[in-house]
Amino acid sequence: MARPCSSSSSAAARLLLLLAAVAAALQAAGAAPPVASGFIRKSCRATQYPSVCEQSLAAYGGSPPPRSPRELAHAALAVSADRARAASAYVGRLCGSRSGSGDGSPRRGAGAKKGSAAAGPVRDCLENLADSVGHLRDAAQEIGGAGMARAGTRAFRWHLSNVQTWCSAALTDENTCLDGLSSRAVDAATRAAVRGRVVEVAQVTSNALALVNKVGPGY
């Protein structure tokens, strides 16, 4: 005759179920997107795309997290540079230029065929994005440099002006790319694919510029 289950076996089964539920909850929590801090949320209200601002900066991997307008602007510029580099690599693969080397700059003559989209507006867009990457890197390096250490000084204002100029130039490059995609020489599928990537870059760059403009003497 079979022996009935003991209370200890029942307790062990309940414990296993509890542990499984806890593991599932932890896995779900780990998959959830990072949450922006109160400082980031408040700062992003000054940008044109606040939800994009919050999401991109919440996912920023810098440590410690930004706690001042200058640190936040630096993080935003770093995010923009990363997004621009990724978009440049994507467009490079799309037009056959093999530009996915990591620095965002196109390798001239590395596969663009005459008569293809790569020979026209898309190729121009790739060069615009390469310029944008360079400008954003320069801006991020400048705002994180020692020259910005003394707020309110003439040197501080000069360095901040450089950051604003480079960030504005990057945004111009991105918008120039978008304008060029309206050409009839670009087929609809290519236009949609490239535009989606570049619009994302332009939005984070616009946000970065807004945050740079909030860096003042009391940063």
Side-chain angles (χ1 to χ4, degrees), residues 27-43:
Q27 184 176 7
V35 178
S37 68
F39 171 64
I40 290 177
R41 290 195 300 271
K42 181 178 179 181
S43 300

Side-chain angles (χ1 to χ4, degrees), residues 154-169:
R154 181 177 299 178
F156 169 85
R157 291 190 294 271
W158 183 77
H159 286 290
L160 183 59
S161 176
N162 288 342
V163 175
Q164 292 167 327
T165 298
W166 282 320
C167 193
S168 295

Side-chain angles (χ1 to χ4, degrees), residues 1 7 42 46 67 98 105-106 153 155 162 206 209:
M1 183 176 177
S7 59
K42 181 178 179 181
R67 295 188 177 90
R98 301 187 305 160
S105 57
T153 64
N162 288 342
S206 171
L209 180 58

